[in-house]
């Protein structure tokens, strides 16, 4: 980053006695140390920026307290995602680098990243708006919509899960939600109010983070944290958000929630018998979950082994696909569980000699293995969180068209082999 002498070793700059475990650096200059410089290397390019630190630099504050670092990292990753696919084509690379300045003007109109998804921005000059002439129009509202008012709201919840089926290991799961909005409304600074509601006895929303366009928020909403145990005093709605919407689609807020049960309970057993592996997978859909999937499948990978040469199996439901060279079984359950809400798969697998082309993994050695679930349930939220369409207030003429939807998507949903060691988050202590 600050290479001056091509062939001269400079101790403080070039030494390898300390290995950096973060991407935050201090760069020496004639005027003193420049910190924090955020930088990383990817595919032969160095991506770097200097985030704003709004607190005193002496002593240096903890990295987690510098909000500009996460914003800068998100922006750099967005730039890398935009540039990386073109690095093999010099002409394409040159074109993208030429457009980058204009894209950054859209992404950071006032120096603060408003949209770090650089690939989603329009690279044409025509799309770059002049600064609004209406003094009431916020900077994030770059154009004015003309037409019938429309509001689209989608609640997307992702559930992460680690299941072990072991007495001394605690299963863990967590819901992460995002409320995406697209408001097509006339006016330079229209005011919208939207409320999220929970069913009776529904788990409260926690770790709430709101978009900067939200004009006010009840402080009690922001106090609930997943790091603290739940009690009766936790705020449980309604969650009211008054805001002036950006022109494009945006995430109004993010949240987490501690739901009482995971949507699909599972058990995976893998044992070695001679030259074969014996597998058993049992899955059960919880009765509170909507039994209507867009897709649902269980992937069973086998790492550090050769191609699958022999497979015998019995599935109580669905279809099993074999990807021999990838050493992978894909159990396609489909769009519904049976009436019993339970499915099972048993089988035996044999492998050929392992080659460099076959999948390896540092965690899944020996019989340490997992089943990973992939599913999406439309029109359903695990928390029960929903948008009351009648509570949406839009202070503009005309009756708005309002659409609201929900979806639940799996994310890192693992069921570990209960017959072997597995990476764990919590372990229970028994007397």
């Amino acid at each position: 980053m600050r290479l001056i002498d091509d062939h001269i070793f400079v101790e403080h700059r070039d030494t390898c006695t300390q290995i950096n475990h973060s991407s935050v650096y201090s760069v020496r200059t004639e005027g003193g140390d420049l910190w924090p410089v955020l930088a990383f290397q990817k595919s032969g390019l160095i991506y770097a920026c200097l985030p704003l630190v709004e607190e005193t630099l002496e002593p240096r504050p903890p990295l987690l307290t510098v909000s500009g670092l996460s914003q800068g990292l998100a922006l750099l990753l967005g730039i890398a995602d935009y540039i990386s696919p073109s690095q093999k084509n010099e002409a394409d690379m040159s074109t993208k680098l030429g457009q980058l300045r204009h894209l950054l003007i859209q992404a950071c109109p006032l120096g603060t990243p408003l949209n770090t998804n650089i690939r989603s921005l329009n690279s044409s000059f025509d799309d770059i708006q002049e600064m609004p002439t209406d003094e009431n129009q916020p900077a994030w509202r770059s154009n004015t919509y003309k037409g019938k008012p429309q509001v689209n709201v989608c609640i997307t919840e992702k559930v992460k899960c680690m299941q072990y089926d072991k007495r001394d290991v605690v299963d863990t799961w967590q819901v992460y939600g995002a409320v995406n909005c697209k408001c097509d409304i006339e006016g330079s600074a229209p005011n919208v109010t939207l409320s999220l509601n929970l069913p009776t006895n529904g788990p409260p929303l926690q770790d709430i983070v709101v978009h900067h366009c939200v004009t006010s928020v009840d402080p009690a909403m922001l106090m609930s944290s997943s790091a603290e145990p739940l009690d009766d005093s936790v705020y449980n709605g309604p969650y009211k958000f008054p805001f002036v919407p950006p022109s494009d689609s945006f995430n109004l807020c993010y949240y987490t929630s501690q739901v009482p049960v995971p949507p699909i309970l599972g058990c995976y057993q893998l044992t070695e018998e001679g030259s074969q592996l014996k597998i058993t997978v049992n899955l059960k859909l919880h009765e509170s979950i909507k039994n209507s999937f867009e897709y649902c499948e269980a992937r069973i990978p086998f790492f550090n082994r050769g191609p699958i040469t022999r497979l015998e199996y019995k599935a109580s439901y669905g279809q099993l696909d074999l990807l021999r060279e990838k050493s992978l079984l894909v159990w396609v359950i489909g769009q519904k569980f049976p009436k019993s809400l339970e499915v099972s798969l048993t089988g035996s697998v044999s492998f050929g000699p392992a080659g460099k082309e076959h999948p390896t993994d540092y965690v899944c050695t020996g019989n340490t293995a997992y089943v990973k679930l992939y599913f999406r349930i439309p029109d359903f939220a695990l928390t029960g969180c929903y948008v009351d369409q009648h509570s949406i207030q839009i202070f503009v003429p005309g009756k708005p068209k309002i659409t609201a939807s929900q979806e639940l998507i799996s994310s890192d949903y693992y069921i570990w082999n209960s017959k072997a060691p597995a990476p764990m988050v919590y372990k229970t202590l028994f007397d």
Side-chain angles (χ1 to χ4, degrees):
M1 288 174 59
R2 196 176 158 269
L3 197 59
I4 300 170
D5 309 304
D6 288 341
H7 305 292
I8 299 175
F9 178 84
V10 180
E11 174 71 23
H12 72 77
R13 185 189 68 205
D14 302 325
T15 181
C16 291
T17 55
Q18 290 185 338
I19 299 174
N20 280 301
H21 292 283
S22 94
S23 298
V24 180
Y25 300 89
S26 177
V27 177
R28 290 193 181 182
T29 69
E30 292 181 0
D33 288 353
L34 201 58
W35 183 92
V37 176
L38 183 60
F40 61 85
Q41 186 170 340
K42 183 177 181 182
S43 304
L45 292 177
I46 293 176
Y47 298 84
C49 70
L50 184 63
L52 173 67
V53 181
E54 296 183 285
E55 52 202 290
T56 179
L57 292 176
E58 293 295 340
R60 287 182 180 172
L63 296 182
L64 287 175
T65 66
V66 183
S67 60
L69 284 172
S70 58
Q71 294 177 342
L73 181 59
L75 181 63
L76 291 180
L77 290 173
I79 295 173
D81 185 52
Y82 168 71
I83 288 178
S84 292
S86 306
Q87 285 192 242
K88 294 180 180 178
N89 186 320
E90 192 172 332
D92 193 16
M93 180 74 167
S94 178
T95 301
K96 284 199 170 183
L97 288 175
Q99 295 171 343
L100 186 58
R101 176 180 174 272
H102 304 289
L103 294 174
L104 289 176
I105 290 173
Q106 297 176 66
C108 312
L110 298 173
T112 300
L114 301 183
N115 186 352
T116 56
N117 185 1
I118 306 298
R119 285 205 290 183
S120 70
L121 300 174
N122 193 324
S123 59
S124 70
F125 290 93
D126 298 336
D127 194 56
I128 300 176
Q129 304 290 323
E130 294 182 4
M131 290 301 291
T133 54
D134 187 334
E135 62 181 15
N136 295 320
Q137 183 170 338
W140 61 83
R141 230 180 128 71
S142 58
N143 55 49
T144 303
Y145 171 78
K146 297 292 183 184
K148 185 178 179 181
Q150 300 180 73
V151 176
N152 292 289
V153 185
C154 179
I155 298 175
T156 298
E157 292 189 346
K158 294 184 178 182
V159 56
K160 292 187 176 185
C161 189
M162 298 276 270
Q163 295 183 40
Y164 303 95
D165 193 33
K166 291 185 177 183
R167 182 171 175 267
D168 63 335
V169 183
V170 179
D171 294 346
T172 62
W173 57 91
Q174 182 82 51
V175 176
Y176 299 84
V179 181
N180 184 268
C181 297
K182 178 72 168 73
C183 301
D184 294 324
I185 306 171
E186 290 188 2
S188 58
N191 289 295
V192 180
T193 299
L194 179 149
S195 293
L196 300 179
N197 294 273
L198 294 173
T200 306
N201 299 324
L205 306 185
Q206 297 178 299
D207 307 319
I208 295 175
V209 179
V210 300
H211 192 274
H212 58 76
C213 72
V214 175
T215 53
S216 65
V217 68
D218 186 337
M221 287 169 44
L222 307 179
M223 297 300 290
S224 180
S225 168
S226 58
E228 300 172 359
L230 289 173
D231 57 48
D232 294 337
S233 65
V234 173
Y235 187 88
N236 61 354
Y239 302 86
K240 194 172 182 179
F241 302 93
F243 59 97
V244 178
S247 307
D248 299 316
S249 175
F250 70 103
N251 286 326
L252 177 67
C253 69
Y254 299 91
Y255 61 85
T256 68
S257 183
Q258 301 178 49
V259 294
V261 292
I264 298 176
L265 292 165
C267 172
Y268 179 35
Q269 295 183 347
L270 179 149
T271 55
E272 208 156 347
E273 294 185 9
S275 59
Q276 291 184 335
L277 291 182
K278 298 281 188 179
I279 62 169
T280 301
V281 183
N282 294 307
L283 301 176
K284 181 179 181 180
L285 180 69
H286 193 270
E287 59 268 17
S288 65
I289 307 302
K290 181 182 178 183
N291 190 9
S292 179
F293 295 77
E294 180 183 312
Y295 58 84
C296 181
E297 65 182 38
R299 297 189 183 185
I300 311 169
F302 301 96
F303 295 103
N304 309 310
R305 304 178 189 273
I308 296 174
T309 56
R310 183 172 171 271
L311 170 66
E312 292 182 358
Y313 73 92
K314 181 181 179 182
S316 69
Y317 195 77
Q319 167 189 330
L320 188 68
D321 295 332
L322 166 61
L323 283 71
R324 291 182 186 276
E325 291 305 315
K326 292 185 178 180
S327 305
L328 176 67
L329 300 179
V330 181
W331 183 15
V332 181
I333 296 163
Q335 296 179 322
K336 272 185 180 293
F337 274 65
K339 285 186 178 181
S340 65
L341 302 181
E342 296 184 34
V343 294
S344 63
L345 171 70
T346 57
S348 60
V349 189
S350 300
F351 302 89
K356 290 182 179 180
E357 71 276 13
H358 297 113
T360 59
D361 189 275
Y362 293 110
V363 173
C364 295
T365 57
N367 287 348
T368 297
Y370 62 79
V371 173
K372 189 174 183 181
L373 300 188
Y374 294 81
F375 57 83
R376 177 180 181 270
I377 306 178
D379 303 315
F380 180 80
L382 195 54
T383 61
C385 181
Y386 65 96
V387 175
D388 182 359
Q389 298 189 30
H390 300 291
S391 71
I392 296 180
Q393 298 176 321
I394 304 176
F395 302 96
V396 293
K399 186 177 180 181
K401 178 184 178 183
I402 298 171
T403 56
S405 60
Q406 303 161 302
E407 61 178 356
L408 176 66
I409 303 173
S410 63
S411 172
D412 297 333
Y413 204 106
Y414 292 97
I415 300 168
W416 290 91
N417 177 21
S418 62
K419 298 293 186 180
M424 60 189 70
V425 181
Y426 302 107
K427 189 166 185 176
T428 306
L429 298 176
F430 290 93
D431 295 332

